[in-house]
Amino acid sequence: MTRKPGSSELVPDRLTVFLHIGAHKTATTHLQKLLDRNADRLAAASVRYVGPSTLRPTGLSLRQFLGLEDGSRPGAAESVLRDLAGGADTVILSEENLLGPMFQGDAGQLFPLYPKADLRVERIVRGLAGCDLRLMLSVREPASYLVSAYSQAMLRGRYGRFVDFVAGVAPERIQWSNLVKRLSLIEGPRELILWRYEDYRALLPRLLSEMMPAEAAAALDAPEGIAHQGLSRTAVAVAQAWAEDDPEEAGLAKAAREAFPVGPEHPAYDPWPEAIKAESLAAYEADLAAAARLPGVRLLRP
């Protein structure tokens, strides 16, 4: 509590909030599981975490969970958030679906990337007016992102060919900076903290230290392994073969993944020629450099 200027009235200190919004396929689940399994350690550091493990059982979106409706006044969610905080100084909110669905429409289109993300995030930001708010976003090299998204589509029961899935979109033409720019124009957050999925492991201690005291971050117990393993080359081929006989069965890719996991005997599915991957990586680095120059954006590097 602090004293209101010129008055004896005590007012609550500003609540520090980190709003982690994904993106999908950027180790978001690993970070969420890490925060979940360390709830007691976070509480001891005056940090409260709210993520999918809290949201999904309610059936509510983050906006609904915070009690926000269209037209809600600025700061309308602060009282709800303070109740959730339970006296903690910092709240970490993590919800990648806030950006919008990864796939759009009946055809499962992947592009454009999150076309309504800024509108969706702005509703939450408006509800958190009065909090000391930072946005957090991770992005991924486009060629790798497309392969991971394709695996996700197959695990959801879409067994089409990769070439049809990408629909002629060249990975070097995908620009995360467009999404970052739209998010950076939202009024209210102190900054947007950005990092590459490829740097996640190296940056993890620093990411945690951004959200809590360094000594608390160092004491957290991180889960091992990959939260969502992709498909091997064999698993993709087998699932597609099975789908010829039973195209409506949604669990074929999952079964194939279990039978033919990624490893020395079954390399990860990767349909891109080396030349295209090199072009995609070069364009990605240039795109990130452009995003890092945007006002209010801070790109973390190892």
Side-chain angles (χ1 to χ4, degrees):
M1 302 287 283
T2 57
R3 198 171 300 281
K4 192 173 182 180
S7 169
S8 60
E9 180 184 353
L10 293 176
V11 295
D13 295 325
R14 292 182 75 194
L15 193 62
T16 297
V17 179
F18 292 91
L19 179 57
H20 173 230
I21 53 178
H24 296 93
K25 314 310 297 179
T26 63
T28 295
T29 301
H30 184 275
L31 180 58
Q32 291 165 342
K33 287 185 174 181
L34 186 158
L35 296 170
D36 264 327
R37 71 188 290 168
N38 289 278
D40 291 343
R41 292 185 177 98
L42 293 177
S46 197
V47 177
R48 172 78 161 92
Y49 166 63
V50 178
S53 63
T54 302
L55 297 173
R56 300 291 184 268
T58 70
L60 301 176
S61 67
L62 179 59
R63 179 177 62 84
Q64 294 168 329
F65 187 79
L66 294 175
L68 296 173
E69 303 293 341
D70 290 337
S72 292
R73 62 174 178 79
E78 185 176 2
S79 61
V80 175
L81 207 58
R82 285 195 177 276
D83 287 342
L84 285 171
D89 299 324
T90 299
V91 175
I92 302 170
L93 301 173
S94 181
E95 172 57 291
E96 65 271 35
N97 290 337
L98 182 56
L99 290 174
M102 188 177 184
F103 305 105
Q104 293 123 42
D106 293 337
Q109 290 176 277
L110 199 62
F111 306 102
L113 292 173
Y114 305 114
K116 298 181 180 180
D118 48 327
L119 300 178
R120 295 167 63 97
V121 174
E122 194 277 335
R123 293 190 189 106
I124 304 297
V125 169
R126 177 180 170 85
L128 297 176
C131 298
D132 185 7
L133 174 64
R134 294 165 178 82
L135 301 181
M136 305 188 78
L137 175 71
S138 178
V139 297
R140 183 169 180 170
E141 186 274 311
S144 169
Y145 175 76
L146 289 171
V147 173
S148 184
Y150 177 64
S151 290
Q152 184 69 27
M154 289 198 70
L155 289 165
R156 293 185 178 187
R158 299 178 184 272
Y159 304 116
R161 301 181 305 164
F162 181 76
V163 66
D164 297 323
F165 175 77
V166 298
V169 174
E172 68 270 17
R173 297 183 62 185
I174 296 173
Q175 294 187 324
W176 287 105
S177 59
N178 176 276
L179 171 63
V180 175
K181 182 177 182 178
R182 288 184 282 125
L183 294 172
S184 72
L185 293 174
I186 298 173
E187 294 185 9
R190 179 190 291 263
E191 62 180 343
L192 189 158
I193 301 172
L194 178 69
W195 67 94
R196 306 184 336 150
Y197 160 79
E198 296 76 16
D199 295 331
Y200 172 72
R201 290 290 182 178
L203 283 174
L204 184 55
R206 184 175 171 190
L207 285 171
L208 296 172
S209 295
E210 292 279 347
M211 298 183 281
M212 65 193 73
E215 59 272 19
L220 299 189
D221 176 30
E224 296 181 0
I226 299 173
H228 293 305
Q229 178 63 64
L231 299 176
S232 67
R233 185 190 314 158
T234 307
V236 169
V238 168
Q240 289 175 331
W242 288 345
E244 291 180 5
D245 296 325
D246 194 1
E248 301 303 319
E249 173 55 54
L252 299 179
K254 184 177 180 181
R257 181 175 63 178
E258 293 174 355
F260 306 101
V262 173
E265 294 184 10
H266 303 290
Y269 180 72
D270 183 7
W272 294 116
E274 291 300 321
I276 289 181
K277 290 195 288 186
E279 290 177 15
S280 178
L281 179 59
Y284 177 52
E285 291 292 354
D287 187 45
L288 277 183
R293 291 193 293 269
L294 293 169
V297 175
R298 179 160 57 97
L299 175 64
L300 304 183
R301 290 283 197 177

